[in-house]
Amino acid sequence: MGERFVVVPVDSGEMIASGGEHTGKTEARPAPDTGDSGSTGAGTAEEQEPLEDSVFEPQDPEAAVPILEYNREPNKYGDGVPKENSPFINNTEHDKNNSYDGTNMALFEEEMDSHPMVSSLLNKLANYTNLTQGAHEHEEADEEEGSKKKAITSPQMGTFMGVYLPCLQNILGVILFLRLTWIVGTAGVLGSLVIVGLCCSCTMLTAISMSAIATNGVVPAGGSYYMISRSLGPEFGGAVGLCFYLGTTFAGSMYILGTIEILLTYIVPQAAIFRAERKEEAVDALLNNMRVYGTCCLILMAIVVFVGVKYVNKLALVFLACVILSILAIYAGVIKSIFEPPDFPVCMLGNRTLQNHNFDKCLKTEVIDNLTVTTKLWSVFCDGPDLNATCNEYFVNNNLTLVQGIPGLTSGVISENMWSEYGPLGMLVENKKLSSFGESDPTKDIYLPYVVNDITTFFTLLVGIYFPSVTGIMAGSNRSGDLRDAQKSIPIGTILAIATTSFIYISTVVLFGACIEGVLLRDKFGDSVEGNLVIGTLSWPSPWVIVIGSFFSCCGAGLQSLTGAPRLLQAIARDGIIPFLQVFGHGKANGEPTWALLLTAGICEIGILIASLDSVAPILSMFFLMCYLFVNLACAVQTLLRTPNWRPRFRYYHWALSFLGMSLCLAIMFISSWYYAIVAMVIAGCIYKYIEYRGAEKEWGDGIRGLSLNAARYALIRLEEAPPHTKNWRPQLLVLLNLDSDQGVKHPRLLSLTTQLKAGKGLTIVGNVLQGTYLLKDAEAKKAEQNIKSAMSAERTKGFCHVVVSSNLRDGVSHLIQSAGLGGMKHNTVLMGWPETWRQSNDPESWRSFIETVRETTAAHQALLVAKNVDSFPTNQDHLGEGTIDVWWVVHDGGMLMLLPFLLRQHKVWRKCKMRIFTVAQMDDNSIQMKKDLQMFLYHLRLNAEVEVVEMHDNDISAFTYEKTLVMEQRSQMLKQMHLSRTEREREAQLIHDKNTASHVTVNDKAEAGPERVHMTWTKDKLFTERNRNREFNANVAVRDLFSMKPNQSNVRCMHTAIKLNEVVVNKSQGAHLVLLNMPGPPKNRGGDENYMEFLEVLLEGLNRVLLVRGGGREVITIYS
């Protein structure tokens, strides 16, 4: 966790002077950050060593009193944020300094060095407080200004204040006030109930899943990002966390646009900078005004958030009060409409709705002083105010009618508003009950003050626009650090808030449809009622209650989005899972996320430049739906896997409900906007893959890892049911690596060859053997494993590492060959390097171990690949030019020699190489027919290769072969003599040492013995002289035997084969990029092992890169499909 306790001696006099509060006890006080995670922060090693024996009660009362100094180092990946380790376990420095004087626990003294006593653990648990990580500590930092920190009190917020009201405030907002009446009018009451039911069901199911996750252990402040990342892993967590961040940021844009729309449309329309000269320019003018004022509002809000979040938090209650008062005003207006409906008449021309901006009376003409005069409305539809002016044909043919906009709850208007009225852009808002004469002329109607659709409307669009009004369910979990009992409050508060808001939405849909005329419902901006907010016309006591309330509600929601989004980004950055975001983990001295706030404001500006509330809403719907989808997925995965740690206190969940919620989220995404859904998924997918390849490695015990384990277990059980078919056979490699004295990889090119051969497919196990006992070599084994993994990463070798500690290397390699792998996922091929120094090595075990490995792979029916001159093999960055891979097919090995070049040529290093196959014909063979048969065989194998048959005649064995065989046998005999001599010398030295020790011990006991009993006929010098003379005599005899030896005929034949085959191979393939050759088997008689090594050296002499191949005793390639 990057934390430790250091015992620091402090003068006891100072402690007494400071209040005496530390006398006889320890104090855990924070030490300053060093800024370097690798530094100790407690002085030099010389200073630390004597501190291990410090105890809490010094013998001398005047002596220095040790104090536990608590130091939290910055996390490796983040910005001073602790890792995921438990704050209790493995934090036992405090316990080490406790002396266990009693005998009750003597049996467990060894355990206490690394594990705390239960009493100590419980004490730490009792003192642990899950402090808020939101804006609360930043407020305190602002107020302290260098003064002494206040005593931290445990959070005390309950369900109502901590979860219910924040969720209520976040769910109810701009869509309810500005768009819900229009949605009801357009989709009809039934369609609106379907939309509300769909969205509220989605959030309720998500809340159930979220409650299960939130009650499965302590949830630090971090809310949904924390829950998803710890449940589904860093890849999903980062992807969905950023989606949630983008959703919150665009929500800020939506709230700011809502604020400006209320300001410019309903409060001070005269403040507009851009004004429309003609009706068709009104939409563009409104959007430009939204962009200018929205940008100014964003800058102002960002400054407020930057200066101090405490002001936002203090105003939160005011904003919440505005929301509640506005909703109460709506219900009050509905009740009042039963007895006294408000007077908001709508002027209708025929069945068309008119914008009531430029006229005061819904009349064509009126009588004033017995004179018939035209009204302002006449001037709008006619050339002039005169009665004989030319007027619009539809205006002439149809009468003007006043329709009551709010007929009241008991009017029965709900029957007319029950069905949908979708239409294209520019469609007139009409009342079908009223009569109409004449046809529409769209070319002229756009210039007249009719109320029209400003966008094309359809069901799926309304789903996307409405969904943001049900988001905000995470507000309670985001404040989990402030709750007295988060595991109790989050489920109850969130579900109650969703139930309350669902009731509000469903009831308002029905009430709007029952109280408001259909044409007024479809009038989005209230143009037909003199620019009043439609929902405001229903409210009591005044429309201004709703206007002012919704204005402050949108302001507050925008500020909270700009407060929450940067902190979410900061949490993701500090987790260190996305490297390029780490700069956003930094902030002001008090932790305020300055850089994250700047990025948030920049993204928020993008939404403001879009300028249309109806266009921004579906964007943030996508990101929130992605988040909710993965919350449901996390709960479902954890429930189905039944992981031991999955023990939620909230019991009312089920995996089927989570899957239903996940399906609903996915369905709503594609219903509302399929192209936005694809974009959101692509963004999440890109982030996922980026974290997978470049992100920091995190292990959070996530459900996806558990899912992988279950899938792996299932697959392994299935694999073991039957051996793989020849068509599915591929080399599953066990790579035997050698390490140097510093546990570094000697031949990394062996890993390069593995990567080129495998291309990331199949199984690769990289093994190594350390000699010794595991208890003593544990640290070396871990270091070796880490070095091998680093080398595998550098060479892009995907696989597993397995380091074995064994009493001798031979047994260790044998154990690896026998036991590496699991179930059906075992290796079938061993890859190793040729022991290049076997001739120079004084220890014959080096080449004997190699030969035994060959024998064991054969006995285990495993293939063997031996790379000679492995350091000359190409790296993964090399690109070999035009050249050949030559295969010398001497004996049939199951097709390994054919398969390996094909696999190598799949890699970019060997792609340009051509394959040549050479086979050897004897005197009795028909070489022409052999070539035809081999070409046909390759054709059926679908392999492209040149074929050549090499004839080897039975020549007489040359004198050179005899001489070479004789030299080989003499060398072998000499090595045996040298080995025997060395063994004999070691045995004699040990014998003399034992005798000297025995005589020294018993000299006093033998002092009383008589002279005849201690008389020695041989002195020590005489003994050595005689033995050296015998040894020289034996050596001379052995040398005479060496020079009188005759070579063994079997060895001569083998040497002849090796020399002749080497001549042919060198002649044909010396310039090849790689030569693959059948590996002869070792002799059955172990006495000829050293000669076997010599035969192989002669066979491979003069060749650069060679891969010796020995089949595993089964067919690995087939001509059948």
Side-chain angles (χ1 to χ4, degrees), residues 854 891 1061 1077-1083 1092 1095-1096 1099 1108-1110:
V854 177
V891 294
L1061 188 56
L1077 184 66
N1078 281 119
M1079 183 177 185
Y1092 172 71
F1095 295 147
L1096 292 181
L1099 178 62
L1108 290 171
V1109 180
R1110 187 164 174 77

Side-chain angles (χ1 to χ4, degrees), residues 85 127 292 301 364 705 945 974 978 1031 1049 1080 1094:
N85 297 342
N127 293 329
V292 173
M301 287 185 176
K364 294 182 181 180
R705 185 174 178 83
M974 192 177 297
M978 290 172 63
R1031 188 179 293 121
Q1049 289 302 311
E1094 193 69 44

Side-chain angles (χ1 to χ4, degrees), residues 77 572-586 687 690-697:
Y77 300 110
I572 298 170
R574 285 184 169 180
D575 257 347
I577 58 174
I578 304 177
F580 71 83
L581 287 182
Q582 295 220 356
V583 65
F584 299 108
H586 307 288
I687 298 167
Y690 177 81
I691 296 173
E692 189 177 39
Y693 286 113
R694 296 292 307 278
E697 293 180 6

Side-chain angles (χ1 to χ4, degrees), residues 171-437:
I171 295 173
L172 300 171
V174 61
I175 300 296
L176 170 64
F177 300 122
L178 295 183
R179 293 291 182 269
L180 190 57
T181 54
W182 173 72
I183 290 173
V184 173
T186 306
V189 173
L190 292 179
S192 301
L193 287 175
V194 171
I195 293 172
V196 172
L198 195 66
C199 296
C200 289
S201 300
C202 176
T203 53
M204 180 61 82
L205 292 170
T206 303
I208 292 171
S209 299
M210 185 195 72
S211 299
I213 297 172
T215 57
N216 187 49
V218 178
V219 179
S224 58
Y225 163 68
Y226 183 91
M227 289 190 292
I228 295 169
S229 61
R230 271 56 176 182
S231 297
L232 291 179
E235 293 88 1
F236 277 113
V240 181
L242 278 183
C243 283
F244 191 58
Y245 162 75
L246 291 172
T248 309
T249 305
F250 277 105
S253 301
M254 185 185 73
Y255 291 129
I256 292 173
L257 290 174
T259 303
I260 302 305
E261 183 176 313
I262 294 169
L263 180 72
L264 293 181
T265 309
Y266 306 114
I267 300 177
V268 280
Q270 60 272 20
I273 298 173
F274 300 91
R275 297 184 182 275
E277 297 295 332
R278 295 177 297 179
K279 182 191 169 187
E280 63 270 19
E281 297 172 355
V283 175
D284 293 334
L286 175 64
L287 294 181
N288 289 330
N289 284 318
M290 299 277 273
R291 292 183 180 107
V292 173
Y293 277 97
T295 303
C296 296
C297 183
L298 172 63
I299 293 170
L300 187 64
M301 287 185 176
I303 291 172
V304 170
V305 172
F306 177 78
V307 168
V309 184
K310 57 185 177 182
Y311 303 115
V312 179
N313 289 339
K314 287 176 180 177
L315 288 172
L317 204 58
V318 177
F319 299 142
L320 177 60
C322 291
V323 174
I324 294 173
L325 285 174
S326 300
I327 292 170
L328 291 177
I330 294 170
Y331 284 111
V334 169
I335 295 170
K336 183 176 177 291
S337 72
I338 300 173
F339 313 105
E340 186 185 345
D343 184 28
F344 284 98
V346 177
C347 186
M348 308 291 296
L349 177 62
N351 63 357
R352 302 179 185 179
T353 310
L354 296 179
Q355 295 182 354
N356 191 2
H357 287 301
N358 300 320
F359 59 90
D360 52 354
K361 295 178 182 178
C362 187
L363 296 170
K364 294 182 181 180
T365 59
E366 60 179 335
V367 178
I368 300 177
D369 297 332
N370 294 324
L371 291 175
T372 302
V373 295
T374 59
T375 60
K376 291 183 180 179
L377 191 57
W378 180 279
S379 302
V380 173
F381 283 90
C382 301
D383 292 343
D386 300 330
L387 288 171
N388 58 355
T390 304
C391 296
N392 179 271
E393 184 180 353
Y394 189 84
F395 179 74
V396 173
N397 294 335
N398 289 276
N399 295 323
L400 289 168
T401 311
L402 274 177
V403 175
Q404 192 56 253
I406 314 290
L409 187 62
T410 57
S411 63
V413 74
I414 189 170
S415 60
E416 302 168 15
N417 295 331
M418 200 62 78
W419 312 108
S420 61
E421 291 283 349
Y422 300 118
L425 170 68
M427 187 186 83
L428 299 171
V429 175
E430 298 175 339
N431 187 336
K432 301 298 183 185
K433 289 192 309 177
L434 299 178
S435 58
S436 175
F437 302 98

Side-chain angles (χ1 to χ4, degrees), residues 764-775:
T764 301
I765 303 173
V766 181
N768 176 256
V769 179
L770 295 180
Q771 189 166 358
T773 60
Y774 184 72
L775 293 178

Side-chain angles (χ1 to χ4, degrees), residues 479-643:
R479 296 165 182 258
S480 56
D482 299 322
L483 301 175
R484 188 185 306 115
D485 185 357
Q487 296 194 9
K488 177 184 175 184
S489 297
I490 289 175
I492 296 174
T494 306
I495 292 173
L496 278 179
I498 293 174
T500 304
T501 52
S502 299
F503 171 77
I504 291 172
Y505 284 129
I506 291 171
S507 62
T508 49
V509 164
V510 175
L511 293 175
F512 291 162
C515 295
I516 305 175
E517 178 63 43
V519 290
L520 182 55
L521 283 173
R522 295 197 296 279
D523 184 2
K524 185 187 288 186
F525 300 107
D527 291 321
S528 61
V529 285
E530 300 180 356
N532 277 297
L533 182 61
V534 175
I535 198 173
T537 60
L538 181 61
S539 64
W540 181 86
S542 168
W544 286 102
V545 175
I546 294 286
V547 171
I548 301 300
S550 58
F551 176 78
F552 283 113
S553 170
C554 292
C555 279
L559 281 171
Q560 287 182 338
S561 295
L562 288 179
T563 303
R567 278 169 180 73
L568 181 59
L569 182 63
Q570 187 182 44
I572 298 170
R574 285 184 169 180
D575 257 347
I577 58 174
I578 304 177
F580 71 83
L581 287 182
Q582 295 220 356
V583 65
F584 299 108
H586 307 288
K588 291 196 294 186
N590 64 349
E592 279 291 314
T594 309
W595 293 109
L597 177 61
L598 287 175
L599 180 65
T600 302
I603 298 173
C604 204
E605 178 64 18
I606 296 173
I608 288 170
L609 292 177
I610 295 174
S612 171
L613 191 69
D614 303 321
S615 300
V616 173
I619 296 175
L620 66 102
S621 294
M622 290 305 113
F623 292 122
F624 278 121
L625 281 163
M626 284 284 290
C627 178
Y628 297 165
L629 184 148
F630 282 103
V631 168
N632 285 297
L633 176 63
C635 181
V637 166
Q638 298 277 32
T639 306
L640 288 174
L641 289 180
R642 296 174 183 169
T643 50

